[in-house]
Amino acid sequence: MNDKARGAGRQRQSALYAPIKRLVDVAASLALLVVLLPVFIVVSVLVAVGMGFPVFFRQMRAGLGGKPFLMYKFRTMSDKRGGDGRLLPDSDRLSKLGGIMRATSIDELPELLNVVKGDMSLVGPRPLLTEYLGLYTSHQNRRHEVSPGITGWAQINGRNAISWEEKFDLDVWYVDNRSTWLDAKILLLTVAKVFRREGISQAGDATMPRFRGETRSAPDERE
């Protein structure tokens, strides 16, 4: 096969990638929502009893092109505050149930609704706070060239146990190398990571420290 034919093949593959990915996202998410409905009900009851309402944690995150959207997760933290009225550190607010949900990634299940809506994909860089948008370098901001995902290349290569810089480099690598095969590989490796409970938090933190960029600080991500 000559270079021209190979180039045409790559173009056809690239053109098919986006619609195939969207089809898989919607079909798989709807199927999982149906199959996991009993889990949704049980977890919702446990969260309501253990932490009260609301059951879901909702927060604006940056999506494709940095466009904000409302992301859904199961609530894992209480709203406990100190005497000054400020929220206590994550480690003090993360409930035992919340810790179990994070270790098993059950808290991420409501994001399937975001996938069906088109805000997210099954695979892509994790959606972060909109307040972080002004802190990225031009290289880091490239992570928004694709839809954010429930899992991604950074999640199977360290998750919260790696630095922000490493995480963003992995996100951009995914943007430049994404393919149907890579997405399938990420999904399979994610299942293995969940069972091993790897990279749930960074040393010294209950989850992940705030991203502060180079000169400014960002608000607490909370969940």
Side-chain angles (χ1 to χ4, degrees):
M1 182 181 294
N2 58 36
D3 292 341
K4 184 176 181 180
R6 280 195 293 267
R10 284 194 295 268
Q11 288 181 345
R12 285 194 296 271
Q13 182 181 22
S14 178
L16 290 172
Y17 172 71
I20 290 176
K21 180 168 185 173
R22 181 58 185 157
L23 179 63
V24 171
D25 280 344
V26 173
S29 296
L30 288 174
L32 287 171
L33 285 169
V34 172
V35 172
L36 296 174
L37 181 59
V39 177
F40 270 78
I41 294 173
V42 171
V43 173
S44 296
V45 171
L46 291 176
V47 172
V49 172
M51 286 179 279
F53 292 96
V55 168
F56 294 107
F57 172 80
R58 300 182 299 170
Q59 190 175 61
M60 296 302 296
R61 298 290 177 97
L64 179 64
K67 181 180 178 181
F69 71 95
L70 191 62
M71 189 189 77
Y72 304 99
K73 295 177 68 173
F74 277 120
R75 184 181 175 193
T76 60
M77 291 186 183
S78 70
D79 289 325
K80 292 180 181 178
R81 298 176 182 270
D84 58 359
R86 301 180 60 138
L87 287 170
L88 293 175
D90 288 358
S91 57
D92 294 329
R93 296 188 295 115
L94 183 63
S95 68
K96 184 176 181 180
L97 172 62
I100 295 173
M101 287 195 292
R102 288 192 176 207
T104 56
S105 295
I106 288 177
D107 62 315
E108 310 281 358
L109 292 181
E111 291 170 33
L112 291 170
L113 297 171
N114 288 118
V115 176
V116 173
K117 289 173 59 181
D119 299 323
M120 294 177 62
S121 174
L122 291 176
V123 179
R126 285 293 299 161
L128 301 176
L129 289 171
T130 55
E131 284 85 349
Y132 288 176
L133 288 171
L135 302 175
Y136 298 127
T137 64
S138 58
H139 171 74
Q140 293 168 347
N141 197 51
R142 291 197 58 220
R143 69 194 307 277
H144 299 110
E145 292 178 12
V146 298
S147 295
I150 293 179
T151 186
W153 189 240
Q155 278 57 56
I156 65 168
N157 284 284
R159 197 176 174 182
N160 290 334
I162 59 177
S163 69
W164 282 112
E165 289 74 17
E166 292 171 309
K167 185 177 294 188
F168 294 146
D169 284 343
L170 291 168
D171 287 340
V172 175
W173 185 91
Y174 171 78
V175 170
D176 290 334
N177 295 275
R178 62 192 186 276
S179 67
T180 301
W181 162 246
L182 180 60
D183 287 348
K185 177 180 178 180
I186 290 171
L187 289 171
L188 289 173
L189 290 176
T190 296
V191 174
K193 286 282 184 179
V194 169
F195 278 109
R196 293 173 187 165
R197 301 186 181 185
E198 295 176 348
I200 298 167
S201 62
Q202 195 166 89
D205 288 275
T207 51
M208 185 76 184
R210 293 177 295 172
F211 175 58
R212 298 179 180 276
E214 296 180 352
T215 59
R216 293 171 292 176
S217 62
D220 193 342
E221 192 169 350
R222 293 187 59 202
E223 290 283 331

